[in-house]
Amino acid sequence: ATMGVDTYSRRLLALALGVACVCAKPPEPLAARVVFHLQDPVDGMCFGPNGFAPCDTSTLWTVGMAKGRQSIVSFLHPSEEASCLERVQTDKYDSRVRLASCKGKNTLAWNIKTTASGGSMVSTDDNKHCVARRWNFAWMQPCDFGYTPLAVVESSLHDRGFLLTTKDGTCFDGVRFRMCDPKDAKLYWGAAVRFDSPRSEGYYSFFKFHILRSEPGQKCLIKDSSKRHAPTTLGECTHAGAKNWAMINGRLTTDKGKTCVKRDDKTGLAKTMPCREGGTPLQWTAPDDRSLRW
């Protein structure tokens, strides 16, 4: 269901956590963050990395925060080098949007603002440039020229987490693949976009959703070592191996998309290998969430 835009603004500020902390005090726990579609209520099409398209996982967004500056991040980004929304100037008044490295100066100044007339205004540069729809293309133009109001439609991912599933009905628990049980809380994951500094590349960490508030010692998915075919395991979210996880082309990857998770079909244990040698196809699934098409 579409969430009220005023409620969204409050929750966005409350839930946009998960920023990596390189400091003496204990790091803040990673938080399940808002995952949402930006939907045109006129025809139900969603704003995504390639313009307006039918709403599915490719058009899901989340947010990343670094010292008060906000990025809009593709939740299922197509590559490790292109995950944050960026404005690119094309002429005096118009500009276009694309996915780019989160290091870009035009990726850290986004805002989703409620409006008195209803819907949300997606803007950047202190509300100077706004997203506007032209056919199914997404453009940026001066907000004074108008904008396309979009509805913020939350998924259940930040409330319930998600499963990492294979086509034959097994779920990845961080160490092994075992039969999926939607009632098993320990199979659910959360994902957080993290920044080590405001101009650093953003990266994902995958954390165990059920440990978020119920137990101390939050655990993240880590690659156990740099060795070839190293196993995956669970460890501290500050571990270097907890960085740079992503779902790219239907496979769970790390090392900026170079290393993939592979299931041992005899034991069910998970190991890592160069993606050029393969990897087990996986899907994000959120049971009973009809707002998503997986």
Side-chain angles (χ1 to χ4, degrees):
T2 301
M3 179 183 62
V5 290
D6 290 329
T7 302
Y8 169 74
S9 296
R10 293 193 295 270
R11 293 186 68 177
L12 189 62
L13 293 174
L15 292 173
L17 303 174
V19 180
C21 178
V22 184
C23 49
K25 65 180 182 179
E28 293 291 332
L30 303 185
R33 56 181 57 249
V34 178
V35 181
F36 55 93
H37 285 115
L38 292 169
Q39 188 175 48
D40 188 338
V42 174
D43 61 3
M45 298 286 273
C46 279
F47 171 48
N50 299 307
F52 285 82
C55 301
D56 60 16
T57 53
S58 69
T59 57
L60 282 172
W61 300 99
T62 186
V63 293
M65 295 289 291
K67 294 188 177 180
R69 304 194 71 192
Q70 180 171 285
S71 295
I72 298 178
V73 186
S74 174
F75 190 70
L76 195 62
H77 50 273
S79 75
E80 194 65 33
E81 291 75 27
S83 55
C84 283
L85 195 63
E86 180 184 52
R87 182 181 73 85
V88 182
Q89 193 76 34
T90 55
D91 59 32
K92 182 177 180 181
Y93 295 110
D94 290 341
S95 50
R96 60 187 178 89
V97 290
R98 66 179 183 185
L99 288 186
S101 166
C102 295
K103 293 181 180 180
K105 67 177 182 179
N106 289 330
T107 64
L108 278 168
W110 289 91
N111 188 28
I112 302 175
K113 182 181 178 181
T114 61
T115 65
S117 59
S120 295
M121 179 177 75
V122 180
S123 65
T124 187
D125 304 325
D126 295 322
N127 301 322
K128 294 178 182 176
H129 296 91
C130 287
V131 171
R133 180 178 178 181
R134 299 178 186 175
W135 298 281
N136 285 333
F137 297 100
W139 294 83
M140 302 289 295
Q141 63 186 25
C143 295
D144 291 342
F145 290 10
Y147 62 92
T148 299
L150 300 173
V152 178
V153 183
E154 280 191 59
S155 81
S156 66
L157 295 179
H158 75 277
D159 289 324
R160 298 179 52 192
F162 55 87
L163 303 171
L164 292 172
T165 65
T166 62
K167 291 183 179 180
D168 60 3
T170 65
C171 282
F172 178 52
D173 68 5
V175 176
R176 66 176 65 245
F177 290 81
R178 53 193 177 91
M179 291 306 298
C180 290
D181 179 1
K183 296 181 180 179
D184 185 350
K186 293 184 179 181
L187 287 175
Y188 284 80
W189 296 92
V193 183
R194 308 169 73 185
F195 294 87
D196 288 333
S197 67
R199 292 298 298 273
S200 69
E201 183 61 83
Y203 58 87
Y204 271 111
S205 288
F206 282 53
F207 60 89
K208 278 295 184 175
F209 194 84
H210 77 286
I211 305 179
L212 180 61
R213 295 180 180 87
S214 60
E215 302 176 28
Q218 187 180 60
K219 299 297 181 184
C220 279
L221 177 64
I222 67 171
K223 181 184 174 184
D224 200 30
S225 74
S226 60
K227 294 181 179 179
R228 188 182 183 88
H229 297 169
T232 61
T233 188
L234 299 173
E236 298 300 321
C237 294
T238 53
H239 191 287
K243 295 184 178 183
N244 296 318
W245 290 92
M247 281 284 286
I248 298 176
N249 296 323
R251 295 184 294 179
L252 182 58
T253 73
T254 186
D255 299 333
K256 296 187 176 181
K258 298 177 182 178
T259 301
C260 286
V261 172
K262 171 71 174 177
R263 178 180 66 183
D264 186 312
D265 289 331
K266 292 183 179 180
T267 65
L269 292 173
K271 60 182 179 181
T272 57
M273 63 170 52
C275 289
R276 65 178 180 273
E277 297 179 11
T280 298
L282 289 169
Q283 293 179 310
W284 312 69
T285 61
D288 302 323
D289 188 344
R290 296 182 180 178
S291 69
L292 300 179
R293 293 187 300 158
W294 301 92

